[in-house]
Amino acid sequence: MLFIAILIIACACFFNSCGHNHTELTVKGVEATCEADGFTDKIICAECGEVLKEGTVIPAKGHTEKIIPEIKATCSENGATEGKQCSVCNQIIVEPTVILAKHTEEIIPGIEPGVGKTGYTEGKKCTECKEILVSPCEITLLEIEIDKERSTKGQISGNLVFNSLEGEFSVYYGNSSKERLPYYNELFTIDPASSNYTKELDSLIIPSGCEYIIANDGGDYVYFAKLPKDCLLGEKDYTYSSLSDIHVNGGENSRGKYFDGALDFLDKYGEIDFVAISGDVSDDVESDLIWFNQAISDRDYKVYTTTGNHDSNNLQSGRWLKYMNTTITTDDEVFDIGKNGLDFVYIPKKNPDSVFVFLCQTFWSYPINPTGTEYSILAEEQIQWLEDVLEKYKDKTVLLYFHTFLSSPEGKQENAVGNLKNPGGYSYNLPFSYGTADEIAFRALMKKYKNVIFFSGHSHWMFEMEKYNANLNVSNFDGEYCYMVHNPSVSEPRWIGENDTRRTSKYGTNSEGWIVEIYEDSMVLIPVDFLSETFYTEYMKIIPLN
C-alpha cells in the first residue's frame, strides 16, 4: 500500500492537472499609452491555455504636453490663441480659440469742397494693411440727383443742384479730365437769384466721352459733378454721318464746297466709319457728279447716296448709273442690288447688325389730288424690292435712306417728320403725295417694320425749326410707325421766322447734318453745324434699338 501511495504522489509531481507536460507560450505584453495602462509579458501553456506566469500592470504614462503657438490674426485672415497638444499621441489638450480677422480702423478726414476744388466725404482705412474700408466720395459744388424711375442708359432725368453759386454760369458736357467735351455747345446758362439753385433735368442725353457735367463763370470750369456709370452708354459699335441735299451746282465754287467742308470736318473728327446721303446731289449736270466723286475719293470711309427729286434728271439721262455708287457691284459689303441697278443694301462688316438700305427716288411727281392708283416717285417693282428686303432683314436694325418724307399719320404735311407750319402759315408743300399707290404701300411698310429707322431729306429745314413742329427732326408717332429722322441740308439749310410767309436760305452761314452713334441697344443722333464745327446739344436725340 505504501508503494502505491508513493507512486501516485510521484505521478502527480510528474504530470499537471491536465495530465500532460505544459508547452510554454509567451504572450507579449502591451505598452502603456498616455491614457491607458499596459502590462508585461505573461506565459501560458500552448496546449491547454493555462496561465503559467501572470504579467504585471504597467501604469499609463500620462500626456507629454507641448505648446501650440499663438497665431496672430491679420486684417484679412483669422488667428488663434495659444493651445496645448500631446507630443506623443497628438491629442489636443487645450483647444486654441479663434481670433477673428479685423481691420484696425482709422478715420480719413473729409475735405470741404471749394470753388474749383473737389471735396470728399469722411472715409475709413486700416492702419495695418492700409486698405480703404469706406471710400471717400467726391463732393463738389455741383451735384446730380438722378431720378432712377425716369432715367435710362444714356439719358437722365432728375436735378442738377448748385451749392454756393455766385454769378452767371454756363453748363457743358465734360470728359474724364473734367474739361469741356469738344464741339458740344453749352447745355444751358443759369443766373440764379440765390446762391443755392436747382435745375431740373428732363431726359438729358449723355453722349460718348461724357463723364461729368461741368459749369464755369467765363473762366476756369469751377463746378463739376460726376455722372453715375450706369447712366453711360458704354462702348460704341459704329459711328457714321447722315447727310442730305448736297446740291453741288457748280462744285467747289458753289454749294458743293460746303459738302466738301463737311467731309473735311468728319476727317478731323476722326471717328467716322461711313457716310450715308439721302439724295439731291445735283441737277442734270455731269460735271457736278464728276466733282462729287472727286470730293469723296480720298476719304477713309465709304460714301453712298440715294437719289432725290433733283437727281431724277440724272437718272433719266443715264448719268447717275455712270458716275454714282459705281463700286456697289464690286463691294463685298453690298448685297441685294435691285433690278434697276440703283437700289441696294450695305452691311458694314464692322457692325453687321446695322443694315443700310438705299432706295432711289426714280421720278419727280408730287400730285396734289392722287387717285390712289398712280405711282408718283417710286416704281411698283421698287416697292416689291423694298418689301422683300425689309422682310429679309426684319431681325436687324435697318437704316432706310429715301429722299422724300411722309406726311403725318393723318395725312398732314405740316406735322410730318421733315416738315412744319409756322404761325405765319407757311409749310413746305412737297411731301410724298398722300394717297398715291406707292405712298400707300410705302407707308404700310413703315408701319409694319418697326425695326426700320427711315432717314429722309428734301425740305432742308434746319434743326432749330423743330420749334414749330416737335416731330420735325425725329418721331415714331407714339409707336404707330417706325422711327423717322429728318436730314437737314449740308449746302443750303432753310429757316423761317415766326410770322414769315417765305422761307430763307442759310446758304453760306450754316451747313447741317447728323453724326450717328450706334450702341448695342441705342442710337444717339448728334446734330452738327459743319461751318461752325458745333454739336447742338439742344437738338440731340436718342432712339432705342430693337
Side-chain angles (χ1 to χ4, degrees), residues 28 64 86-87 153 224 232 258 289 304 341 395 451 512:
K28 295 292 291 182
T64 302
C86 178
S87 62
K153 206 171 182 180
F224 40 88
L232 307 181
Y258 300 112
L289 303 186
Y304 281 136
D395 296 324
N451 61 309
E512 296 188 344

Side-chain angles (χ1 to χ4, degrees), residues 20 24 47 147 176 220 241 285 374 444 446 491:
H20 65 275
E24 291 185 355
E47 300 296 328
D147 184 339
S176 59
D220 294 333
S241 184
V285 180
E374 68 270 55
M446 298 304 100
S491 300

Side-chain angles (χ1 to χ4, degrees), residues 362-363 375 377-384 438:
T362 52
F363 307 108
Y375 284 79
I377 57 179
L378 285 170
E380 185 174 359
E381 58 268 23
Q382 288 183 282
I383 293 291
Q384 185 59 57
D438 49 344

Side-chain angles (χ1 to χ4, degrees), residues 169-440:
F169 279 78
S170 296
V171 180
Y172 299 93
Y173 291 124
N175 60 21
S176 59
S177 300
K178 303 173 187 174
E179 298 171 339
R180 179 178 171 181
L181 208 59
Y183 304 116
Y184 289 88
N185 67 344
E186 65 184 26
L187 292 169
F188 46 82
T189 300
I190 57 171
D191 187 9
S194 63
S195 61
N196 295 322
Y197 176 77
T198 298
K199 169 72 175 179
E200 183 179 1
L201 302 176
D202 185 16
S203 300
L204 178 68
I205 296 171
I206 307 301
S208 172
C210 178
E211 294 188 24
Y212 285 85
I213 301 297
I214 60 178
N216 77 354
D217 58 356
D220 294 333
Y221 295 104
V222 296
Y223 292 122
F224 40 88
K226 189 171 180 62
L227 292 163
K229 283 189 176 180
D230 56 5
C231 293
L232 307 181
L233 284 166
E235 293 295 321
K236 292 182 291 184
D237 292 332
Y238 198 71
T239 304
Y240 80 100
S241 184
S242 185
L243 309 177
S244 193
D245 294 273
I246 310 302
H247 295 284
V248 174
N249 299 354
E252 189 62 34
N253 296 320
S254 187
R255 290 173 175 81
K257 63 185 177 184
Y258 300 112
F259 171 65
D260 200 33
L263 297 186
D264 287 343
F265 173 77
L266 296 176
D267 292 342
K268 176 182 176 180
Y269 183 63
E271 299 181 21
I272 301 300
D273 297 306
F274 180 59
V275 173
I277 302 171
S278 57
D280 268 8
V281 174
S282 174
D283 291 316
D284 190 19
V285 180
E286 185 174 23
S287 60
D288 286 352
L289 303 186
I290 295 172
W291 179 90
F292 177 88
N293 279 295
Q294 291 172 341
I296 68 174
S297 62
D298 295 329
R299 310 296 173 175
D300 292 330
Y301 40 78
K302 295 176 184 177
V303 180
Y304 281 136
T305 180
T306 185
T307 59
N309 55 307
H310 283 268
D311 298 309
S312 59
N313 290 328
N314 282 313
L315 282 179
Q316 305 310 317
S317 67
R319 287 175 177 151
W320 186 271
L321 283 173
K322 180 178 179 181
Y323 292 107
M324 304 301 290
N325 298 329
T326 55
T327 61
I328 63 172
T329 56
T330 57
D331 188 340
D332 62 359
E333 294 180 309
V334 170
F335 305 89
D336 304 290
I337 299 174
K339 292 180 180 179
N340 59 8
L342 300 169
D343 308 322
F344 63 96
V345 171
Y346 172 71
I347 306 177
K349 293 178 181 178
K350 185 175 180 180
N351 188 29
D353 289 329
S354 296
V355 177
F356 291 83
V357 176
F358 289 87
L359 180 66
C360 285
Q361 181 169 330
T362 52
F363 307 108
W364 184 334
S365 177
Y366 298 100
I368 298 175
N369 298 305
T371 64
T373 59
E374 68 270 55
Y375 284 79
S376 58
I377 57 179
L378 285 170
E380 185 174 359
E381 58 268 23
Q382 288 183 282
I383 293 291
Q384 185 59 57
W385 176 86
L386 178 61
E387 184 173 6
D388 292 343
V389 164
L390 296 186
E391 180 63 22
K392 179 177 180 179
Y393 297 108
K394 62 184 178 182
D395 296 324
K396 305 280 189 179
T397 297
V398 174
L399 308 167
L400 172 62
Y401 275 74
F402 177 67
H403 184 65
T404 299
F405 59 87
L406 283 173
S407 294
S408 71
E410 302 81 20
K412 295 181 179 180
Q413 66 180 34
E414 62 267 25
N415 295 332
V417 175
N419 207 6
L420 56 83
K421 185 176 182 180
N422 73 338
Y426 181 87
S427 182
Y428 186 71
N429 63 355
L430 291 178
F432 202 152
S433 295
Y434 190 76
T436 60
D438 49 344
E439 190 272 347
I440 292 170

